[in-house]
mmCIF file of all heavy atoms in Angstrom:
data_model
loop_
_atom_site.group_PDB
_atom_site.id
_atom_site.type_symbol
_atom_site.label_atom_id
_atom_site.label_comp_id
_atom_site.label_asym_id
_atom_site.label_seq_id
_atom_site.Cartn_x
_atom_site.Cartn_y
_atom_site.Cartn_z
ATOM 1 N N GLU A 748 -16.290 -5.828 -4.176
ATOM 2 C CA GLU A 748 -14.978 -5.098 -4.021
ATOM 3 C C GLU A 748 -15.231 -4.066 -2.925
ATOM 4 O O GLU A 748 -16.125 -3.216 -2.919
ATOM 5 C CB GLU A 748 -14.611 -4.370 -5.376
ATOM 6 C CG GLU A 748 -14.055 -5.414 -6.303
ATOM 7 C CD GLU A 748 -13.450 -4.797 -7.613
ATOM 8 O OE1 GLU A 748 -14.039 -3.802 -8.130
ATOM 9 O OE2 GLU A 748 -12.395 -5.199 -7.992
ATOM 10 N N TYR A 749 -14.204 -4.144 -1.986
ATOM 11 C CA TYR A 749 -14.360 -3.113 -0.875
ATOM 12 C C TYR A 749 -13.481 -1.924 -1.419
ATOM 13 O O TYR A 749 -12.641 -1.939 -2.262
ATOM 14 C CB TYR A 749 -13.643 -3.695 0.320
ATOM 15 C CG TYR A 749 -14.488 -4.677 1.070
ATOM 16 C CD1 TYR A 749 -14.644 -5.935 0.683
ATOM 17 C CD2 TYR A 749 -15.094 -4.209 2.360
ATOM 18 C CE1 TYR A 749 -15.529 -6.747 1.385
ATOM 19 C CE2 TYR A 749 -15.852 -5.097 3.079
ATOM 20 C CZ TYR A 749 -16.117 -6.334 2.593
ATOM 21 O OH TYR A 749 -16.818 -7.194 3.251
ATOM 22 N N VAL A 750 -13.708 -0.808 -0.688
ATOM 23 C CA VAL A 750 -12.952 0.501 -0.956
ATOM 24 C C VAL A 750 -12.040 0.678 0.336
ATOM 25 O O VAL A 750 -12.572 0.695 1.434
ATOM 26 C CB VAL A 750 -13.893 1.777 -1.126
ATOM 27 C CG1 VAL A 750 -13.102 2.967 -1.267
ATOM 28 C CG2 VAL A 750 -14.812 1.459 -2.290
ATOM 29 N N TYR A 751 -10.695 0.737 0.067
ATOM 30 C CA TYR A 751 -9.881 0.949 1.097
ATOM 31 C C TYR A 751 -9.149 2.344 0.910
ATOM 32 O O TYR A 751 -8.935 2.832 -0.136
ATOM 33 C CB TYR A 751 -8.751 0.006 1.086
ATOM 34 C CG TYR A 751 -9.130 -1.517 1.357
ATOM 35 C CD1 TYR A 751 -9.745 -2.253 0.307
ATOM 36 C CD2 TYR A 751 -9.008 -2.058 2.577
ATOM 37 C CE1 TYR A 751 -10.154 -3.584 0.492
ATOM 38 C CE2 TYR A 751 -9.430 -3.386 2.850
ATOM 39 C CZ TYR A 751 -10.016 -4.070 1.746
ATOM 40 O OH TYR A 751 -10.398 -5.455 1.990
ATOM 41 N N TRP A 752 -8.888 2.989 2.098
ATOM 42 C CA TRP A 752 -8.131 4.290 2.096
ATOM 43 C C TRP A 752 -6.952 4.154 2.927
ATOM 44 O O TRP A 752 -6.950 3.628 4.074
ATOM 45 C CB TRP A 752 -9.017 5.325 2.661
ATOM 46 C CG TRP A 752 -10.066 5.906 1.677
ATOM 47 C CD1 TRP A 752 -11.350 5.348 1.426
ATOM 48 C CD2 TRP A 752 -9.992 7.093 0.887
ATOM 49 N NE1 TRP A 752 -11.988 6.077 0.503
ATOM 50 C CE2 TRP A 752 -11.217 7.192 0.109
ATOM 51 C CE3 TRP A 752 -9.027 7.952 0.666
ATOM 52 C CZ2 TRP A 752 -11.489 8.147 -0.776
ATOM 53 C CZ3 TRP A 752 -9.269 9.001 -0.239
ATOM 54 C CH2 TRP A 752 -10.542 9.036 -0.901
ATOM 55 N N TYR A 753 -5.815 4.596 2.279
ATOM 56 C CA TYR A 753 -4.538 4.670 2.973
ATOM 57 C C TYR A 753 -3.977 6.069 2.740
ATOM 58 O O TYR A 753 -4.462 6.893 1.909
ATOM 59 C CB TYR A 753 -3.608 3.695 2.336
ATOM 60 C CG TYR A 753 -3.794 2.278 2.590
ATOM 61 C CD1 TYR A 753 -4.834 1.535 2.043
ATOM 62 C CD2 TYR A 753 -3.079 1.504 3.601
ATOM 63 C CE1 TYR A 753 -5.051 0.124 2.344
ATOM 64 C CE2 TYR A 753 -3.228 0.247 3.918
ATOM 65 C CZ TYR A 753 -4.258 -0.471 3.314
ATOM 66 O OH TYR A 753 -4.528 -1.755 3.558
ATOM 67 N N ARG A 754 -3.016 6.398 3.632
ATOM 68 C CA ARG A 754 -2.315 7.612 3.382
ATOM 69 C C ARG A 754 -0.874 7.375 3.536
ATOM 70 O O ARG A 754 -0.314 6.489 4.227
ATOM 71 C CB ARG A 754 -2.657 8.748 4.309
ATOM 72 C CG ARG A 754 -2.353 8.521 5.825
ATOM 73 C CD ARG A 754 -2.854 9.696 6.622
ATOM 74 N NE ARG A 754 -2.432 9.613 8.008
ATOM 75 C CZ ARG A 754 -2.862 10.378 8.937
ATOM 76 N NH1 ARG A 754 -3.775 11.499 8.610
ATOM 77 N NH2 ARG A 754 -2.498 10.242 10.091
ATOM 78 N N GLN A 755 0.056 8.094 2.796
ATOM 79 C CA GLN A 755 1.459 7.982 2.855
ATOM 80 C C GLN A 755 2.057 9.275 3.133
ATOM 81 O O GLN A 755 1.918 10.306 2.401
ATOM 82 C CB GLN A 755 2.017 7.407 1.486
ATOM 83 C CG GLN A 755 3.447 7.080 1.608
ATOM 84 C CD GLN A 755 3.911 6.549 0.220
ATOM 85 O OE1 GLN A 755 3.407 6.832 -0.848
ATOM 86 N NE2 GLN A 755 4.969 5.704 0.315
ATOM 87 N N ILE A 756 2.759 9.269 4.218
ATOM 88 C CA ILE A 756 3.564 10.484 4.571
ATOM 89 C C ILE A 756 4.982 10.293 4.025
ATOM 90 O O ILE A 756 5.438 9.059 3.937
ATOM 91 C CB ILE A 756 3.519 10.702 6.161
ATOM 92 C CG1 ILE A 756 2.159 10.929 6.667
ATOM 93 C CG2 ILE A 756 4.490 11.785 6.545
ATOM 94 C CD1 ILE A 756 1.955 10.898 8.195
ATOM 95 N N HIS A 757 5.654 11.342 3.720
ATOM 96 C CA HIS A 757 6.795 11.367 2.965
ATOM 97 C C HIS A 757 7.831 10.331 3.477
ATOM 98 O O HIS A 757 8.130 10.289 4.679
ATOM 99 C CB HIS A 757 7.427 12.742 2.934
ATOM 100 C CG HIS A 757 8.652 12.757 2.144
ATOM 101 N ND1 HIS A 757 8.741 12.481 0.820
ATOM 102 C CD2 HIS A 757 9.982 13.023 2.441
ATOM 103 C CE1 HIS A 757 10.013 12.593 0.338
ATOM 104 N NE2 HIS A 757 10.761 12.954 1.342
ATOM 105 N N SER A 758 8.364 9.409 2.659
ATOM 106 C CA SER A 758 9.322 8.459 2.897
ATOM 107 C C SER A 758 8.925 7.446 3.941
ATOM 108 O O SER A 758 9.744 6.874 4.704
ATOM 109 C CB SER A 758 10.557 9.146 3.505
ATOM 110 O OG SER A 758 11.143 9.973 2.462
ATOM 111 N N GLN A 759 7.657 7.244 4.034
ATOM 112 C CA GLN A 759 7.140 6.099 4.947
ATOM 113 C C GLN A 759 6.237 5.283 4.067
ATOM 114 O O GLN A 759 5.899 5.554 2.984
ATOM 115 C CB GLN A 759 6.308 6.675 6.072
ATOM 116 C CG GLN A 759 7.142 7.505 7.105
ATOM 117 C CD GLN A 759 6.372 8.070 8.190
ATOM 118 O OE1 GLN A 759 5.283 7.492 8.580
ATOM 119 N NE2 GLN A 759 6.783 9.096 8.739
ATOM 120 N N GLY A 760 5.925 4.028 4.683
ATOM 121 C CA GLY A 760 4.948 3.118 3.985
ATOM 122 C C GLY A 760 3.563 3.649 4.130
ATOM 123 O O GLY A 760 3.254 4.458 5.167
ATOM 124 N N PRO A 761 2.643 3.208 3.385
ATOM 125 C CA PRO A 761 1.296 3.648 3.516
ATOM 126 C C PRO A 761 0.669 3.187 4.793
ATOM 127 O O PRO A 761 0.934 2.092 5.338
ATOM 128 C CB PRO A 761 0.532 3.007 2.326
ATOM 129 C CG PRO A 761 1.562 2.689 1.351
ATOM 130 C CD PRO A 761 2.920 2.446 2.113
ATOM 131 N N GLN A 762 -0.155 4.074 5.376
ATOM 132 C CA GLN A 762 -0.872 3.794 6.595
ATOM 133 C C GLN A 762 -2.313 3.601 6.335
ATOM 134 O O GLN A 762 -2.954 4.311 5.660
ATOM 135 C CB GLN A 762 -0.644 4.988 7.589
ATOM 136 C CG GLN A 762 -1.370 4.857 8.879
ATOM 137 C CD GLN A 762 -1.439 6.204 9.679
ATOM 138 O OE1 GLN A 762 -1.214 7.304 9.123
ATOM 139 N NE2 GLN A 762 -1.591 6.103 11.013
ATOM 140 N N TYR A 763 -2.865 2.451 6.799
ATOM 141 C CA TYR A 763 -4.218 2.158 6.730
ATOM 142 C C TYR A 763 -5.169 3.138 7.464
ATOM 143 O O TYR A 763 -4.764 3.619 8.586
ATOM 144 C CB TYR A 763 -4.573 0.709 7.247
ATOM 145 C CG TYR A 763 -6.064 0.415 7.326
ATOM 146 C CD1 TYR A 763 -6.802 0.170 6.282
ATOM 147 C CD2 TYR A 763 -6.604 0.387 8.617
ATOM 148 C CE1 TYR A 763 -8.144 -0.064 6.461
ATOM 149 C CE2 TYR A 763 -7.981 0.072 8.782
ATOM 150 C CZ TYR A 763 -8.702 -0.107 7.878
ATOM 151 O OH TYR A 763 -10.139 -0.426 7.872
ATOM 152 N N ILE A 764 -6.262 3.565 6.829
ATOM 153 C CA ILE A 764 -7.130 4.481 7.412
ATOM 154 C C ILE A 764 -8.431 3.863 7.748
ATOM 155 O O ILE A 764 -8.960 3.811 8.941
ATOM 156 C CB ILE A 764 -7.293 5.763 6.674
ATOM 157 C CG1 ILE A 764 -6.090 6.455 6.295
ATOM 158 C CG2 ILE A 764 -8.290 6.766 7.350
ATOM 159 C CD1 ILE A 764 -6.201 7.644 5.277
ATOM 160 N N ILE A 765 -9.086 3.361 6.684
ATOM 161 C CA ILE A 765 -10.509 2.890 6.869
ATOM 162 C C ILE A 765 -10.860 2.125 5.616
ATOM 163 O O ILE A 765 -10.262 2.225 4.586
ATOM 164 C CB ILE A 765 -11.425 4.012 7.025
ATOM 165 C CG1 ILE A 765 -12.809 3.594 7.625
ATOM 166 C CG2 ILE A 765 -11.742 4.896 5.858
ATOM 167 C CD1 ILE A 765 -13.644 4.808 8.213
ATOM 168 N N HIS A 766 -11.879 1.305 5.665
ATOM 169 C CA HIS A 766 -12.395 0.653 4.497
ATOM 170 C C HIS A 766 -13.842 0.416 4.701
ATOM 171 O O HIS A 766 -14.434 0.335 5.749
ATOM 172 C CB HIS A 766 -11.708 -0.686 4.084
ATOM 173 C CG HIS A 766 -11.892 -1.866 5.059
ATOM 174 N ND1 HIS A 766 -11.366 -1.868 6.184
ATOM 175 C CD2 HIS A 766 -12.630 -2.858 4.853
ATOM 176 C CE1 HIS A 766 -11.714 -3.054 6.839
ATOM 177 N NE2 HIS A 766 -12.528 -3.774 6.048
ATOM 178 N N GLY A 767 -14.516 0.095 3.553
ATOM 179 C CA GLY A 767 -16.039 -0.229 3.608
ATOM 180 C C GLY A 767 -16.468 -0.896 2.300
ATOM 181 O O GLY A 767 -15.770 -0.831 1.261
ATOM 182 N N LEU A 768 -17.659 -1.450 2.393
ATOM 183 C CA LEU A 768 -18.291 -2.114 1.185
ATOM 184 C C LEU A 768 -19.422 -1.373 0.696
ATOM 185 O O LEU A 768 -19.322 -0.922 -0.479
ATOM 186 C CB LEU A 768 -18.804 -3.539 1.533
ATOM 187 C CG LEU A 768 -19.356 -4.399 0.517
ATOM 188 C CD1 LEU A 768 -18.380 -4.621 -0.566
ATOM 189 C CD2 LEU A 768 -19.939 -5.634 1.046
ATOM 190 N N LYS A 769 -20.402 -1.016 1.512
ATOM 191 C CA LYS A 769 -21.443 -0.233 0.972
ATOM 192 C C LYS A 769 -22.107 0.764 2.046
ATOM 193 O O LYS A 769 -22.747 1.732 1.734
ATOM 194 C CB LYS A 769 -22.623 -1.051 0.411
ATOM 195 C CG LYS A 769 -23.152 -2.218 1.259
ATOM 196 C CD LYS A 769 -24.218 -2.976 0.372
ATOM 197 C CE LYS A 769 -24.607 -4.237 1.220
ATOM 198 N NZ LYS A 769 -25.494 -5.047 0.505
ATOM 199 N N ASN A 770 -21.880 0.275 3.321
ATOM 200 C CA ASN A 770 -22.316 1.219 4.449
ATOM 201 C C ASN A 770 -21.385 2.258 4.773
ATOM 202 O O ASN A 770 -20.104 2.161 4.505
ATOM 203 C CB ASN A 770 -22.708 0.306 5.614
ATOM 204 C CG ASN A 770 -23.802 -0.593 5.371
ATOM 205 O OD1 ASN A 770 -24.773 -0.306 4.638
ATOM 206 N ND2 ASN A 770 -23.653 -1.777 5.896
ATOM 207 N N ASN A 771 -21.657 3.367 5.336
ATOM 208 C CA ASN A 771 -20.832 4.319 5.763
ATOM 209 C C ASN A 771 -20.085 3.811 6.941
ATOM 210 O O ASN A 771 -20.633 2.998 7.767
ATOM 211 C CB ASN A 771 -21.519 5.608 6.121
ATOM 212 C CG ASN A 771 -22.148 6.229 4.936
ATOM 213 O OD1 ASN A 771 -21.846 6.027 3.705
ATOM 214 N ND2 ASN A 771 -23.194 7.069 5.146
#
Side-chain angles (χ1 to χ4, degrees):
Chain A
E748 288 184 318
Y749 284 77
V750 178
Y751 295 82
W752 282 83
Y753 285 79
R754 70 182 182 186
Q755 186 179 27
I756 296 170
H757 183 62
S758 295
Q759 296 181 21
Q762 177 190 23
Y763 167 74
I764 301 173
I765 198 166
H766 72 283
L768 182 62
K769 52 184 176 183
N770 297 322
N771 298 337

